[in-house]
Amino acid sequence: MVVSATQCPFGDVVQDAPHLCKMTSSVFGGIAARKFGYGKVSLRQRIALGHPMCEVAIYFTKHSEENGDVYEDLPITPSYGNPFKWEEETIHMLNQELRRSDEMIETLLAELEELRK
């Protein structure tokens, strides 16, 4: 499977932090490995490295000769990790934590922008 994007969710900041692309690899590879037992992710093109777009290839079998990050035999989320079975209070608390995390990231990005000036 190939996923392409013309904009980065990290914005222009990614050009100063190309290691953030590993998060993309980890997300796609983790999903593939949990679903199929194997995932290989090749970051073919990356906006962070000056390409006009991002192009990410995700492989679900070991047949590919293309280089990439390999993810295998990752544990499947336990039953208590199923968000469809969570109590309303748990979902509310998670939402608060995610909001705090978003605020922290926004603060860090603002600090990075200030450092660039």
Side-chain angles (χ1 to χ4, degrees), residues 20-38:
L20 291 173
C21 301
K22 288 293 185 179
M23 290 177 64
T24 300
S25 175
S26 178
V27 169
F28 287 138
I31 292 169
R34 285 182 180 90
K35 178 69 176 167
F36 303 107
Y38 177 87

Side-chain angles (χ1 to χ4, degrees), residues 50-108:
H51 296 122
M53 63 183 287
C54 289
E55 182 178 278
V56 180
I58 304 121
Y59 296 92
F60 307 110
T61 63
K62 296 181 182 183
H63 301 297
S64 169
E65 297 296 322
E66 187 168 5
N67 290 329
D69 298 320
V70 174
Y71 302 85
E72 289 186 271
D73 302 318
L74 297 179
I76 296 175
T77 305
S79 60
Y80 59 81
N82 183 344
F84 297 107
K85 295 182 180 178
W86 290 348
E87 299 290 328
E88 185 71 28
E89 182 181 340
T90 303
I91 294 170
H92 180 71
M93 288 172 44
L94 178 60
N95 185 37
Q96 287 177 328
E97 288 302 314
L98 289 172
R99 187 170 294 126
R100 276 184 268 216
S101 177
D102 286 349
E103 290 169 0
M104 182 183 71
I105 290 171
E106 288 175 5
T107 300
L108 290 171

